Amino acid sequence: MAVHTINFEPDDRYNAFLKVCAKPSHSEGKLAGIAVAVKDNISTQGIETTCASKILKGYVPPYDAHAVGLIKNAGAAIAGKTNMDEFGMGTSTENSAFGPTLNPCDTGRVPGGSSGGSAAAVAAGMVRMALGTDTGGSIRCPAAFSGIVGFKPTYGRVSRYGLIAYANSLETIGPMATNVSDVSLLMSVISGNDRKDTTSYDKPYAHTPSADIKGLRIGIPEEYFGKGVDPDVGTVVRRAIARLEELGAVTVPCSIPSMEYALAAYYVICTSEASSNLARFDGVRYGPAADTKKSWHAAYQDVRKQGFGPEVRRRIMLGTFALSSGYYGKYYAKAQVARENVRKDFTRLFSDVDVLCGPTMPTIAFKFGEKSDPLSMYLSDILTVPVNLAGIPAISVPCGKVQGMPVGLQVMGRPFEDERVIDVAYAYEQAVKP
Amino acid sequence: MVTEKDVEHIGELADIGIDTSELAIFTGQFNAIVEYFDVLDRVHGDDAVARDLYNVMREDVVEPSLSQDEATRNAGAQEDGFIKAPRVM
């Protein structure tokens, strides 16, 4: 197959990239010659992959993530690796060990996180598409804050092989772009079965977006417009939903009672999984070397104290605590029951409605340093985490502005009805197209 | 209520390496977060894992994989093609 190269010399004034590939090669295919940016927690053979952490500085993966192999085979040129909150732990990209990414819409504000570099690279026009990952909203949040489209596929539809694990039961790789058609195109390349991921599902996505939503039933959960949600954001999103009604959709008020404890359940589960997954970073197989003359406890503690940032250390400790003897029943076991209740709420609602709509984020992008205590940052994930707990597909599509900053409309769908979620976003996008 | 002693113990279990100067701030943050987690006390029921699961494991089949050089290349300390680890005894 013919191999070509492109020139990629972006003006990265937003610190979107941790690594730029100046002359990436590409082959023929659906994505021929398209520059695609890849979040830095997705393995790229021969290209340094750090998860924006000092503990992986210098790590060069010997293999490609399954999704990366697929986009390369489809002709994409890997433009570089994008900045993120360290290991995906954050909502602002302020937790990167290599400095924050700036929001191209207002450089005094965060781009959202954790896939903030991918969002900024797309929003600033440096690349047409990017891969992000979404554990509790990490694709949808930066898409909403930076004014682009971000899609979190159904769990299992995109292989996680080569995605450096943070919270396996929640996270997925997904596409980001300026418009729904490009998101759909990238999704059609990265989805499908992979036997190297035991949670992979054999349901390839081969869909062309359709704007016909006549008769579609849209549930409007009251919690998505309730306490903690900026009323101006709510107004913009309600106006977008009214637009969907004009296109023939029917809206139905509804409620997700389990949202009362969904966020707590999410943070117990993701930190518990993180405490286990991140145990592998000990300076032996990769990253800065451990002092082999010391005893292993002392050597590991040195490496991990130096290598992990404060948020990562906090989450590893929270997870260790939630799983520790005496607390497991109170936190981890309860969180699993809460997760099941979230799933049941969605199942009940989806027996009556086809999709659910609401804001992606409760506010517009915040200013740097605005959320300085960890809990207030966690609370901004309230509208995105239920989707990850249930494993369902959801998209964020730009739907207007508040104080000059973008607002995202979130559309959530039944498991494996990724196509329908894409269609609703596409219908909205086409209706408001200038 | 999580104490500084608890946080020190958890840091030890997680091999995270905590300085005594960090204990107060981590403990304060821990308490705020754990207090928020207490909303889980209101969760009822115990049917967490009733799912339709089936075994996806298969017999191990030897296939071409990474070479020894590729697999060890990222290790900081190596000797004779092997990865060197801190002493355990």
Side-chain angles (χ1 to χ4, degrees):
Chain A
M1 199 189 290
V3 176
H4 314 272
T5 57
I6 61 166
N7 284 321
F8 183 66
E9 289 159 358
D11 166 16
D12 188 13
R13 64 183 76 174
Y14 307 110
N15 196 30
F17 283 92
L18 293 176
K19 163 102 186 159
V20 168
C21 305
K23 281 195 187 298
S25 60
H26 70 87
S27 59
E28 305 292 340
K30 252 196 216 185
L31 303 178
I34 298 178
V36 179
V38 178
K39 188 177 178 181
D40 205 35
N41 59 348
I42 304 173
S43 303
T44 42
Q45 185 177 11
I47 305 173
E48 187 183 5
T49 298
T50 67
C51 296
S53 180
K54 282 194 282 185
I55 211 156
L56 275 176
K57 189 87 192 91
Y59 170 64
V60 179
Y63 63 95
D64 274 328
H66 188 68
V68 170
L70 290 173
I71 65 170
K72 279 161 90 170
N73 284 340
I78 306 297
K81 304 303 293 287
T82 53
N83 202 4
M84 54 185 284
D85 287 295
E86 187 176 355
F87 284 101
M89 299 181 186
T91 312
S92 68
T93 316
E94 290 171 293
N95 293 336
S96 166
F98 308 113
T101 296
L102 312 183
N103 191 323
C105 305
D106 175 351
T107 53
R109 293 177 187 270
V110 304
S114 64
S115 312
S118 286
V122 169
M126 292 185 269
V127 290
R128 188 169 139 190
M129 305 172 180
L131 290 181
T133 65
D134 193 311
T135 308
S138 284
I139 287 175
R140 290 161 288 152
C141 158
F145 279 5
S146 307
I148 64 160
V149 184
F151 179 57
K152 181 237 168 258
T154 301
Y155 185 82
R157 238 174 144 175
V158 178
S159 167
R160 287 181 297 109
Y161 179 75
L163 160 59
I164 297 175
Y166 148 35
N168 333 44
S169 79
L170 300 160
E171 66 204 358
T172 175
I173 294 174
M176 305 171 83
T178 54
N179 60 74
V180 177
S181 299
D182 276 353
V183 159
S184 177
L185 173 64
L186 189 50
M187 178 64 187
S188 73
V189 173
I190 62 175
S191 70
N193 187 232
D194 173 20
R195 59 190 199 91
K196 294 190 294 308
D197 173 359
T198 53
T199 60
S200 170
Y201 198 82
D202 193 7
K203 198 168 191 308
Y205 172 99
H207 181 64
T208 305
S210 155
D212 180 10
I213 57 163
K214 265 190 211 74
L216 183 88
R217 290 175 65 79
I218 303 177
I220 314 294
E222 58 178 317
E223 292 81 4
Y224 276 71
F225 297 88
K227 198 173 139 235
V229 180
D230 178 352
D232 291 341
V233 167
T235 303
V236 166
V237 171
R238 281 196 189 280
R239 213 177 291 145
I241 294 168
R243 205 64 200 254
L244 294 172
E245 286 180 306
E246 287 167 24
L247 297 172
V250 179
T251 56
V252 184
C254 63
S255 170
I256 307 177
S258 58
M259 280 197 54
E260 179 192 0
Y261 41 68
L263 188 77
Y266 169 80
Y267 271 96
V268 168
I269 292 168
C270 76
T271 57
S272 296
E273 294 184 16
S275 73
S276 166
N277 277 320
L278 272 64
R280 64 172 64 100
F281 300 104
D282 53 18
V284 175
R285 286 152 296 172
Y286 22 65
D291 183 349
T292 54
K293 291 191 184 65
K294 287 190 172 174
S295 76
W296 64 277
H297 262 302
Y300 290 178
Q301 291 197 6
D302 285 353
V303 166
R304 288 158 68 83
K305 187 170 133 193
Q306 298 297 323
F308 287 137
E311 182 60 27
V312 175
R313 294 169 77 213
R314 193 155 38 239
R315 290 200 195 189
I316 290 174
M317 287 196 289
L318 276 169
T320 306
F321 171 71
L323 291 174
S324 65
S325 146
Y327 294 102
Y328 175 90
K330 182 171 165 58
Y331 296 111
Y332 188 76
K334 280 285 184 189
Q336 292 296 350
V337 179
R339 181 176 193 170
E340 189 61 24
N341 290 348
V342 172
R343 276 203 196 98
K344 283 179 183 159
D345 274 349
F346 278 118
T347 304
R348 173 178 54 80
L349 293 178
F350 286 134
S351 67
D352 178 39
V353 300
D354 300 307
V355 294
L356 297 165
C357 282
T360 305
M361 296 298 291
T363 63
I364 56 168
F366 30 89
K367 295 187 171 131
F368 285 103
E370 194 179 321
K371 309 262 178 195
S372 53
D373 80 285
L375 183 59
S376 76
M377 185 77 88
Y378 296 177
L379 292 171
S380 6
D381 300 340
I382 182 76
L383 305 182
T384 48
V385 299
V387 159
N388 300 78
L389 289 169
I392 62 176
I395 197 166
S396 180
V397 62
C399 71
K401 291 190 170 174
V402 168
Q403 292 173 50
M405 292 303 291
V407 172
L409 165 69
Q410 184 173 204
V411 183
M412 301 161 263
R414 297 185 186 106
F416 300 104
E417 289 195 358
D418 304 58
E419 293 82 354
R420 192 192 297 266
V421 168
I422 295 265
D423 284 349
V424 177
Y426 183 69
Y428 176 77
E429 180 191 73
Q430 295 304 304
V432 299
K433 202 163 71 175
Chain B
M1 181 78 182
V2 180
T3 64
E4 289 191 12
K5 211 167 148 41
D6 295 332
V7 173
E8 198 174 5
H9 175 62
I10 295 158
E12 191 69 29
L13 288 176
D15 273 332
I16 214 75
I18 292 196
D19 282 341
T20 39
S21 62
E22 299 176 299
L23 279 176
I25 184 150
F26 270 129
T27 306
Q29 291 166 339
F30 237 76
N31 275 307
I33 296 165
V34 169
E35 194 179 312
Y36 181 76
F37 285 174
D38 283 344
V39 68
L40 291 170
D41 288 342
R42 297 211 281 272
V43 177
H44 296 293
D46 53 3
D47 52 347
V49 282
R51 314 216 65 75
D52 294 330
L53 297 178
Y54 60 94
N55 187 11
V56 294
M57 300 301 173
R58 56 168 170 78
E59 288 304 307
D60 190 29
V61 183
V62 179
E63 288 178 11
S65 185
L66 298 178
S67 65
Q68 186 172 358
D69 174 54
E70 286 170 320
T72 56
R73 197 176 292 164
N74 280 288
Q78 299 178 41
E79 202 172 299
D80 301 332
F82 293 95
I83 295 171
K84 219 170 149 181
R87 63 184 174 83
V88 288
M89 300 287 281

